[in-house]
Amino acid sequence: MAAPVPIEEQIVSLNSARKLLLTDSTYASHIIQGILPIIGRDAVLELRRWGADFLSETFASPGVPTSRKEELSLVILPTLRKMIENTQEDSAVVKSLVQVASSIYPLVLRWIINNPYDVPNWEHMTAIKQRILRIWDSATTGVRVCCIKFAQKVVLVQTAGPEADPRRSDPREISLTMVPQNNLVIPPRNLEAEAMGLLDRMLSIFHESISDAIPVDATLNSLSILIRTRPQVSNKILNALLNFNPLKQANSPMTSKLRVMVKSMEKTNRILLMHIIKRDPHNPLTPRIQQHIEKMARSRTEIFEEASRKRGPPEPTNGLDTTKRQKLGVQVAKQPAARLYIPPLTPGPHTIAELFTITTDAALKGFDVSQLPEDLVVKIGVTILQKLDADTLSQAIEGVQNRYNSMKPTPPEEINPATVPLDIEDDDDYEPDFYNVEDNEQIVNKLDAAPPEEPKQTAPDVALGPFTLPPSPALTPEQATQIGEGTVSRVFGVMSTLEEPGKKMKSGMNRLAASAYDRDAWVTIITRLATRAAAGLERTNDGVKAEIGSGPISLSDTIRQSLQAYVLEDFRKRIDIAVAWLCEEWYNDRVQLKLGPNTPLHYEKWVLRLYDGFAQYLDGRDKILTRFLSEIPAVSTELLDRVKLLCRDPALVNLALTSLLYLVMMRPPVREIALDTVEDIWQRYDEAKPIAAKYLNKWRPNFEQRLNKVEGEDKKLNGFANAIIVDATKVAEAATS
């Protein structure tokens, strides 16, 4: 007979199986079916504890798929029932088993919804549920917390949830909505009634005498998800929370344990209510919740802060305390202020801050007051001056004044000649030199013998003239064009980094162009540089248009080419830039024509270039062509001729004719040329004839008569042709016979 395996070795092997299951859930079925006999009701306590923790971790792990958990929940139901019905079971094992029941209850319910014939498994689950509800109030604190979580899970799945949307619904969402009305195993009415009863039992803890705060905190934490996901019971829960005041438990005498309990319940309740207001600020109960929170805050302050305040000093025995109400007729002697010590300054130079710093604290001296805001410094200064004693202030002023006097230079000491000692010599005694005085003749002879004095040369006054820098070398046309192209490329680089303009209010006629520094402002600047910078420099006197290669025109055309490339990069989003640019071109052409006839026009050329650039990328569903034709300032026959060429593609016939119809309806000045284009399309393209004829019949009443006339002429021509063919056939037959 083999020796029994020690418990430690069994637990090591079981831990290896646990790691394998959490790593790869495909082995879950085999591992759990192999472990259940080892951790059953008759196993030793260590194995039962390990097995209960293992099942709790497995069914709570997100690494195991929900479908596999549903299959495994049916496997463990008999073992789970036997273990939890053991009245002598260890509390740690019961705690883990209740957690397992909380995880598998929604899965078993969904299995019964889809398989109503499986009555035995539902009986197992019902027995487990009844056992948990019986031990709810009598178990240990940890087990009670798990029972509250189980009750919350039962209420969650046995009440109606939101309408299930197959496209957005969570596969883990299980509610009473999924239960058919004709299900005999789990009638929806019975499930809902049981859920309401459990909810009332959960909320009843707020009306009882509380001896332990942990179940109350667990209940508060479990109510959040019910309020969020089950609106039909949220008002009932909120009313219970508003009637619950944990501070009522703070009766005297308040012990340390009671203080911690009350603070914990009050904080959990306050956080839950604030979370509800944050998630649903438009709830009708929001004002009541705010008032309740404020009321609890005031009560908390009165209960806890008043008790924690320090008591005042005891009353003096002589009854002459100046802070108390003074007795009449008693002379209270004013106590002198303490002597303030201000250390003198050391020899050497000092700053103003050192002069006025009277504290001896080194840390306080190193504090930089300039870091504080001015209003705070003013408040601190006013408060200090109000509470400062006059004697202390006088001592401080006197100490600073003594410091200032000590920094002054000492004047030389005056000597009194009457009292000066004999050993001090007077350096200022006058001792004249006795020389022979020269007469006038000697002085004149000395002056005659002296060399003649040279006249002093004074420098002439120099006036500083105007100073001008030398002119910079002139730029060649090629250099100017190159610099201009660099500037234009940088502007377009800035435009590409700006965001697309969103919806904004129209400024009206009084708006200022390019005043917002956004993308539209840069577009305005660059378009006006292209159109107006060279205005007036392009006219020629001999009636010949200026060449493109000349300086300013070359720069303007460079900007226009860059604008064209920028628009065509994403023409569907930047069509507004194209329209703004063409409006500037058209306006500039009109202004230049007023100044003189010999002016090159740019609008027609660039509108055709833009159209040719994006026309090849159009499809039948594009509306960009209609917008382009309707918003540009002028539509020419040449442009409409190019639109007409779109009808060569049968997929673009409807697009071309719809855009032309829009011009006919909304732009009367170009109605006739648009109708001429439609009629030309009708004549040239057979695929477009039905739609073109419909438009022409509506907008050109005489078109139907012309159409009938043309059809009659076609029939006559066809008759003549047929007669000629018949005659030719007869002549050929006669010739052969």
Side-chain angles (χ1 to χ4, degrees):
M1 183 176 179
V5 181
I7 301 298
E8 293 78 6
E9 295 183 6
Q10 293 185 34
I11 292 178
V12 171
S13 302
L14 292 174
N15 285 332
S16 302
R18 168 182 164 274
K19 292 179 181 179
L20 178 61
L21 185 145
L22 296 178
T23 305
D24 189 356
S25 62
T26 56
Y27 302 102
S29 178
H30 301 287
I31 294 175
I32 289 181
Q33 289 180 1
I35 288 178
L36 286 178
I38 303 175
I39 63 173
R41 177 176 179 177
D42 299 330
V44 296
L45 179 60
E46 290 80 2
L47 293 179
R48 295 202 309 273
R49 286 182 177 178
W50 184 94
D53 293 340
F54 168 72
L55 294 177
S56 175
E57 183 180 13
T58 300
F59 285 94
S61 174
V64 182
T66 306
S67 59
R68 194 173 300 277
K69 289 181 182 178
E70 186 173 336
E71 298 174 1
L72 297 175
S73 63
L74 304 177
V75 175
I76 69 169
L77 276 178
T79 305
L80 182 62
R81 179 179 180 181
K82 291 179 182 179
M83 295 178 67
I84 203 169
E85 286 183 345
N86 183 11
T87 57
Q88 304 298 325
E89 189 59 84
D90 182 63
S91 60
V93 177
V94 176
K95 178 180 176 182
S96 299
L97 294 178
V98 176
Q99 293 178 1
V100 176
S102 302
S103 300
I104 69 173
Y105 187 80
L107 305 175
V108 176
L109 182 64
R110 182 165 60 184
W111 170 262
I112 299 302
I113 293 172
N114 299 326
N115 305 278
Y117 59 85
D118 194 358
V119 179
N121 281 324
W122 181 244
E123 290 179 352
H124 287 311
M125 190 71 248
T126 305
I128 294 171
K129 177 171 62 174
Q130 296 300 330
R131 174 62 181 167
I132 293 174
L133 297 180
R134 283 197 303 270
I135 66 174
W136 184 349
D137 295 327
S138 59
T140 59
T141 303
V143 177
R144 290 183 64 190
V145 171
C146 296
C147 293
I148 293 170
K149 180 62 179 177
F150 177 79
Q152 181 244 13
K153 188 71 71 172
V154 174
V155 174
L156 190 65
V157 299
Q158 292 186 188
T159 51
E163 293 294 334
D165 188 353
R167 297 169 297 178
R168 298 187 303 172
S169 60
D170 188 357
R172 297 172 296 179
E173 177 67 26
I174 302 170
S175 65
L176 192 65
T177 311
M178 303 172 60
V179 183
Q181 294 295 328
N182 56 356
N183 196 315
L184 301 179
V185 181
I186 46 174
R189 293 184 178 179
N190 297 348
L191 295 179
E192 188 174 9
E194 183 183 19
M196 293 297 103
L198 284 178
L199 180 61
D200 293 337
R201 185 174 176 183
M202 292 175 63
L203 298 178
S204 64
I205 195 173
F206 300 140
H207 308 292
E208 300 174 354
S209 179
I210 301 171
S211 60
D212 192 356
I214 296 178
V216 178
D217 292 342
T219 304
L220 291 172
N221 291 329
S222 64
L223 294 177
S224 175
I225 188 171
L226 292 177
I227 296 173
R228 179 170 57 87
T229 59
R230 298 295 183 262
Q232 65 271 21
V233 299
S234 61
N235 288 336
K236 183 177 183 179
I237 298 174
L238 288 175
N239 288 325
L241 293 176
L242 293 176
N243 294 326
F244 172 60
N245 187 2
L247 297 175
K248 290 183 179 179
Q249 306 295 327
N251 49 8
S252 58
M254 184 181 294
T255 61
S256 300
K257 178 181 178 181
L258 182 60
R259 180 189 298 273
V260 173
M261 287 171 48
V262 173
K263 283 187 175 182
S264 175
M265 292 186 293
E266 188 274 334
K267 182 179 180 181
T268 307
N269 189 21
R270 172 164 42 89
I271 292 174
L272 175 59
L273 294 176
M274 293 174 63
H275 175 71
I276 294 170
I277 294 176
K278 185 178 180 180
R279 287 193 62 89
D280 188 11
H282 303 291
N283 193 307
L285 294 177
T286 299
R288 285 189 58 193
I289 296 174
Q290 292 177 343
Q291 293 177 1
H292 186 69
I293 294 174
E294 295 173 358
K295 180 180 177 181
M296 286 198 304
R298 291 193 297 268
S299 301
R300 183 178 68 252
T301 304
E302 294 174 359
I303 294 173
F304 295 111
E305 295 188 4
E306 289 290 341
S308 61
R309 288 181 182 175
K310 295 182 179 179
R311 295 182 178 179
E315 296 185 2
T317 56
N318 56 1
L320 300 181
D321 188 6
T322 57
T323 59
K324 301 292 183 179
R325 180 179 298 174
Q326 297 181 0
K327 295 181 180 180
L328 298 177
V330 179
Q331 298 295 330
V332 180
K334 186 177 180 181
Q335 298 180 359
R339 186 63 184 175
L340 182 64
Y341 174 70
I342 301 176
L345 295 177
T346 58
H350 295 277
T351 61
I352 297 179
E354 294 175 349
L355 173 64
F356 287 94
T357 302
I358 62 177
T359 182
T360 57
D361 189 356
L364 193 58
K365 288 181 180 180
F367 179 71
D368 188 6
V369 185
S370 62
Q371 297 178 355
L372 300 177
E374 295 182 0
D375 54 347
L376 181 60
V377 175
V378 171
K379 290 181 181 179
I380 295 175
V382 171
T383 305
I384 292 175
L385 291 176
Q386 289 177 348
K387 297 183 178 181
L388 190 62
D389 185 65
D391 294 341
T392 305
L393 181 61
S394 301
Q395 294 178 24
I397 295 174
E398 183 180 358
V400 173
Q401 188 174 7
N402 293 336
R403 283 183 173 183
Y404 179 74
N405 293 332
S406 65
M407 295 174 62
K408 292 181 179 180
T410 56
E413 184 179 358
E414 295 182 359
I415 300 176
N416 189 0
T419 60
V420 63
L422 297 177
D423 57 347
I424 297 179
E425 296 181 357
D426 190 1
D427 295 336
D428 296 333
D429 292 344
Y430 174 68
E431 295 180 359
D433 295 331
F434 297 97
Y435 298 109
N436 294 327
V437 179
E438 296 180 350
D439 55 3
N440 293 335
E441 184 178 359
Q442 292 176 343
I443 295 174
V444 170
N445 293 334
K446 184 182 291 186
L447 292 176
D448 292 338
E453 295 182 358
E454 297 181 357
K456 295 182 179 180
Q457 297 181 357
T458 58
D461 295 334
V462 179
L464 296 178
F467 176 76
T468 57
L469 291 173
S472 58
L475 294 177
T476 62
E478 291 79 8
Q479 291 176 341
T481 303
Q482 185 178 4
I483 295 172
E485 291 175 355
T487 304
V488 171
S489 64
R490 287 194 297 273
V491 172
F492 277 99
V494 172
M495 288 172 55
S496 61
T497 59
L498 297 177
E499 297 180 356
E500 296 291 332
K503 184 178 180 181
K504 57 184 180 180
M505 300 298 293
K506 295 182 178 180
S507 303
M509 296 298 295
N510 295 326
R511 68 184 185 275
L512 296 176
S515 59
Y517 302 103
D518 54 358
R519 195 197 68 165
D520 291 341
W522 285 107
V523 168
T524 304
I525 292 172
I526 202 67
T527 53
R528 293 189 177 179
L529 281 176
T531 57
R532 304 187 187 184
L537 303 177
E538 301 173 333
R539 294 194 303 272
T540 57
N541 297 326
D542 53 356
V544 180
K545 292 184 179 180
E547 295 294 333
I548 300 298
S550 58
I553 301 178
S554 176
L555 179 59
S556 299
D557 285 344
T558 301
I559 299 175
R560 292 184 176 102
Q561 291 172 3
S562 301
L563 270 172
Q564 180 188 6
Y566 179 74
V567 171
L568 294 180
E569 283 179 0
D570 193 357
F571 67 91
R572 289 183 176 85
K573 290 185 178 180
R574 297 173 181 173
I575 194 66
D576 54 338
I577 299 177
V579 172
W581 169 32
L582 294 176
C583 288
E584 292 286 345
E585 294 284 4
W586 178 85
Y587 174 77
N588 185 61
D589 288 352
R590 302 283 80 76
V591 172
Q592 296 304 317
L593 285 175
K594 292 181 181 179
L595 299 177
N598 301 327
T599 302
L601 304 180
H602 300 282
Y603 171 77
E604 189 65 27
K605 176 179 67 174
W606 289 103
V607 73
L608 294 177
R609 286 192 180 183
L610 270 179
Y611 173 79
D612 293 339
F614 69 78
Q616 53 187 331
Y617 301 107
L618 295 174
D619 56 28
R621 296 172 298 177
D622 252 326
K623 295 183 180 179
I624 202 70
L625 177 62
T626 306
R627 181 181 175 186
F628 179 75
L629 294 177
S630 61
E631 293 186 0
I632 57 176
V635 179
S636 62
T637 306
E638 186 176 358
L639 177 60
L640 295 183
D641 289 340
R642 301 198 182 189
V643 175
K644 178 175 59 178
L645 297 178
L646 293 176
C647 295
R648 293 179 296 184
D649 186 356
L652 300 179
V653 170
N654 192 18
L655 173 64
L657 291 175
T658 304
S659 302
L660 293 172
L661 176 63
Y662 189 87
L663 293 179
V664 172
M665 296 172 60
M666 299 299 177
R667 299 192 70 167
V670 297
R671 179 177 296 169
E672 291 303 323
I673 61 174
L675 288 174
D676 292 340
T677 307
V678 175
E679 187 171 350
D680 196 7
I681 292 173
W682 175 81
Q683 293 175 358
R684 293 185 178 216
Y685 303 102
D686 294 337
E687 294 85 355
K689 281 189 176 182
I691 303 177
K694 177 182 176 181
Y695 294 162
L696 291 172
N697 288 332
K698 180 178 180 180
W699 294 96
R700 282 190 171 173
N702 59 347
F703 175 75
E704 187 174 0
Q705 300 176 1
R706 292 166 51 197
L707 179 60
N708 295 333
K709 183 178 179 181
V710 170
E711 290 178 353
E713 293 178 354
D714 290 341
K715 289 180 180 179
K716 290 181 181 180
L717 292 175
N718 291 335
F720 288 137
N722 292 333
I724 292 172
I725 293 172
V726 171
D727 292 341
T729 304
K730 291 180 180 180
V731 171
E733 291 177 355
T736 53
S737 60

